[in-house]
Amino acid sequence: MVPVGIRGEYSMRSEQEILNTLLKNYDMRVRPPPVNTSTEGAVNVRVNIMIRMLSKIDVVNMEYSIQLTFREEWTDPRLAYEHLGFYNPPAFLTVPHVKKSLWIPDTFFPTEKAAHRHLIDMENMFLRIHPDGKVLYSSRISLTSSCPMRLQLYPLDYQSCNFDMVSYAHTMNDIMYEWDPVKPVQVKPGVGSDLPNFVLENITTNTDCTSHTNTGSYGCLRMNLLLKRQFSYYLVQLYAPTTMIVIVSWVSFWIDLHSTAGRVALGVTTLLTMTTMQSAINAKLPPVSYVKVVDVWLGACQAFVFGALLEYAFVSYQDSARQNDRAREKAARKAQRRREKLEMVDAEVYQPPCTCHTFEARETFRDKLRRYFTKPDYLPAKIDFYARFVVPLAFLAFNIIYWVSCLIMSANASTPESLV
């Protein structure tokens, strides 16, 4: 029996002896032989991922940043040490820095744009060798990965981001990947819930992403991240302000049609504000060739604002035309009366009508309300009167159609299959 005082030293010496024995005739250039006695068969590599951080989902560049612990497990019979006869062998050997001494799967990530391993304070990786030759490789890496996004339903959209893992040099005859059957993907608490614009709705895994190239077929694993955009931000920063701008443009219908300066200034200001807001929103999105639901909303709001300005232009034109007609009629009546006076012979002394008892009645608040809500007979004023009620009702009808359609399309797009 080994004394207690030297048990740790003996354990370290035993691990060193085991490693020296295992690596004596080990060739890292050759993949592990099959577990069975045959000389053919692929190495089964079991993968497990722990997502530590998910951040910086960039819609313009269509990418996201992710930090994860990447684990691979396979069996290499050449590293089995349970049959070597060592006294009280350890449950596993932890080997932190022998990547250049042992065979490791050449896994790469096709959707990766940039990546790095963490080297502070030491390289964040380890490799464990079990007595039966089972090897566990674990490493912490950070990646910026591509995520092609479909923005037709922006900002009510779901985005499906694929994260693939493929062998670079070994075909399916050499390496077969499979997910950990117990828990293939682990998520650190809080990940996905603290994103500024998205919520991590679901994570799914599959193996139907085999890469077929001119050099062969390569096994592949896929992790799918389903992201839901948070709508509250856009409700406060986009939909509410544009709705208020449209409502402000309706004030023009209640201003006297002869107040040209006020109505033109209001119409131009709301139109410019709407255009500026639309440009600011599109600056945060990539230029795409299809129409987004936010484009429909902004286009409709701009049409309502521009329509209010056009309505006053039409009303002003109609008013000017009728004023000119009245001026011509008034001039014709004056000329007719002048001719009649000249034709009068031996006319009696003219006595003007008495105006000593006439007075102008003062308009009350009720009279003002009656004037605003009573349909006038004058055509330009009649157009303003109808616009006060028809335009808001049209905008309300547009809202009903818009939001019902968006909710239906968003519900249909909430599954990864619909985003493929």
Side-chain angles (χ1 to χ4, degrees):
M1 182 171 181
V2 181
V4 177
I6 63 173
R7 186 173 298 171
E9 180 182 354
Y10 180 84
S11 177
M12 293 176 58
R13 188 186 311 156
S14 176
E15 292 183 5
Q16 293 175 357
E17 293 176 355
I18 293 174
L19 284 175
N20 291 334
T21 303
L22 293 177
L23 298 179
K24 184 176 181 180
N25 297 317
Y26 188 89
D27 190 352
M28 63 167 292
R29 298 171 299 177
V30 181
R31 70 175 180 87
V35 178
N36 52 28
T37 56
S38 64
T39 58
E40 296 182 358
V43 179
N44 291 322
V45 178
R46 181 168 294 178
V47 176
N48 170 268
I49 288 178
M50 179 178 182
I51 301 177
R52 293 182 171 272
M53 185 183 301
L54 182 64
S55 62
K56 197 181 177 182
I57 300 176
D58 191 341
V59 179
V60 176
N61 296 319
M62 294 193 178
E63 63 185 22
Y64 65 96
S65 298
I66 187 172
Q67 182 186 123
L68 48 87
T69 298
F70 180 65
R71 306 185 185 101
E72 292 178 304
E73 192 176 47
W74 66 96
T75 299
D76 190 343
R78 298 173 296 177
L79 297 177
Y81 58 87
E82 60 184 358
H83 61 281
L84 296 181
F86 285 96
Y87 175 80
N88 193 22
F92 56 82
L93 299 175
T94 300
V95 188
H97 304 292
V98 291
K99 288 181 59 179
K100 296 182 179 179
S101 302
L102 298 178
W103 181 89
I104 296 177
D106 57 343
T107 307
F108 80 104
F109 310 102
T111 58
E112 168 224 330
K113 288 186 175 181
H116 69 273
R117 299 180 185 274
H118 294 264
L119 305 176
I120 304 298
D121 179 38
M122 299 291 290
E123 184 177 1
N124 297 174
M125 62 83 61
F126 70 81
L127 189 143
R128 289 178 180 173
I129 303 175
H130 293 264
D132 59 351
K134 183 178 294 184
V135 182
L136 172 63
Y137 169 71
S138 177
S139 176
R140 186 165 73 100
I141 55 179
S142 292
L143 307 97
T144 299
S145 184
S146 172
C147 179
M149 299 184 182
R150 299 182 178 182
L151 302 173
Q152 288 92 339
L153 297 180
Y154 177 90
L156 296 166
D157 54 328
Y158 287 79
Q159 297 300 333
S160 178
C161 299
N162 291 328
F163 186 83
D164 295 349
M165 292 149 282
V166 187
S167 174
Y168 190 82
H170 296 84
T171 64
M172 297 178 67
N173 295 327
D174 296 322
I175 291 181
M176 289 293 295
Y177 288 98
E178 62 180 12
W179 286 107
D180 189 322
V182 178
K183 200 167 186 180
V185 179
Q186 300 167 301
V187 181
K188 187 178 178 180
V191 173
S193 60
D194 55 354
L195 297 173
N197 292 328
F198 286 90
V199 174
L200 182 59
E201 284 280 295
N202 191 22
I203 299 177
T204 57
T205 58
N206 56 69
T207 59
D208 58 349
C209 57
T210 302
S211 177
H212 301 281
T213 66
N214 293 335
T215 58
S217 299
Y218 300 86
C220 171
L221 294 181
R222 172 169 293 174
M223 175 179 66
N224 180 271
L225 307 176
L226 182 61
L227 302 169
K228 177 184 178 182
R229 195 182 301 274
Q230 293 187 358
F231 180 69
S232 56
Y233 169 83
Y234 300 93
L235 179 64
V236 175
Q237 299 293 330
L238 191 156
Y239 286 97
T242 51
T243 300
M244 287 189 290
I245 292 173
V246 173
I247 294 175
V248 168
S249 69
W250 300 342
V251 177
S252 173
F253 305 144
W254 299 85
I255 299 177
D256 185 78
L257 59 89
H258 298 110
S259 300
T260 304
R263 294 188 67 163
V264 171
L266 179 63
V268 172
T269 301
T270 53
L271 183 61
L272 292 178
T273 304
M274 196 68 225
T275 304
T276 303
M277 184 172 293
Q278 187 172 10
S279 300
I281 294 170
N282 288 329
K284 300 178 182 179
L285 298 173
V288 293
S289 59
Y290 48 80
V291 178
K292 305 178 290 293
V293 294
V294 69
D295 296 331
V296 176
W297 174 266
L298 293 175
C301 291
Q302 195 163 24
F304 275 99
V305 172
F306 186 63
L309 187 60
L310 289 181
E311 187 270 348
Y312 176 66
F314 181 74
V315 167
S316 180
Y317 171 78
Q318 292 293 329
D319 180 63
S320 298
R322 278 158 177 73
Q323 293 292 345
N324 293 334
D325 293 341
R326 288 185 177 182
R328 287 192 294 268
E329 293 175 0
K330 185 176 181 180
R333 286 195 300 268
K334 285 185 178 181
Q336 181 65 26
R337 286 197 297 269
R338 190 177 298 112
R339 287 193 297 269
E340 291 176 354
K341 287 182 180 181
L342 293 175
E343 293 175 357
M344 292 178 63
V345 181
D346 296 332
E348 298 179 356
V349 178
Y350 175 70
Q351 180 68 28
C354 177
T355 59
C356 55
H357 300 292
T358 61
F359 63 93
E360 183 177 357
R362 185 175 181 180
E363 187 178 31
T364 64
F365 179 73
R366 181 177 298 178
D367 295 332
K368 291 181 180 180
L369 290 178
R370 186 180 297 110
R371 178 163 54 86
Y372 277 114
F373 291 97
T374 302
K375 184 174 69 174
D377 297 328
Y378 188 50
L379 180 60
K382 188 183 296 184
I383 296 174
D384 272 350
F385 175 81
Y386 283 120
R388 295 168 188 168
F389 306 100
V390 173
V391 175
L393 290 176
F395 188 69
L396 178 62
F398 164 73
N399 269 267
I400 295 174
I401 297 173
Y402 177 85
W403 291 113
V404 170
S405 302
C406 286
L407 292 176
I408 293 175
M409 291 187 293
S410 180
N412 294 334
S414 60
T415 57
E417 291 79 7
S418 63
L419 299 174
V420 176

